[in-house]
Amino acid sequence: MTRPDRGRTRARAVGTLLFLYKRALSPALHALPGLPGACRFQPTCSEYAAIAVAEHGLIRGTMMALGRLARCH
């Protein structure tokens, strides 16, 4: 496997993890008492992270997503 293929594979894996978070973990977390119920950003932070990783690669996309999360709550 060449280097660009590994990068795409990693980005795809991160995208899959973000999808699973959005579908399984996020609804459960927002159902807990005392936690805010809705994301104040559009697209949501998990959607933004998936887009950023897909468009900018794993490292830069992750940094962009972390910056977004730092502004969230």
Side-chain angles (χ1 to χ4, degrees):
M1 192 181 296
T2 62
R3 279 187 98 57
D5 290 338
R6 272 195 320 214
R8 277 191 289 258
T9 301
R10 288 179 185 155
R12 195 172 317 135
V14 169
T16 300
L17 290 173
L18 288 167
F19 175 81
L20 292 173
Y21 165 80
K22 183 170 177 62
R23 296 293 179 218
L25 189 59
S26 180
L29 288 175
H30 291 296
L32 294 174
L35 290 179
C39 186
R40 68 183 197 164
F41 291 113
Q42 188 63 18
T44 64
C45 292
S46 59
E47 291 169 342
Y48 178 84
I51 293 167
V53 168
E55 290 185 5
H56 299 285
L58 185 62
I59 303 295
R60 184 163 184 228
T62 300
M63 296 305 293
M64 292 171 69
L66 289 174
R68 172 81 170 259
L69 286 172
R71 294 187 307 269
C72 187
H73 293 289

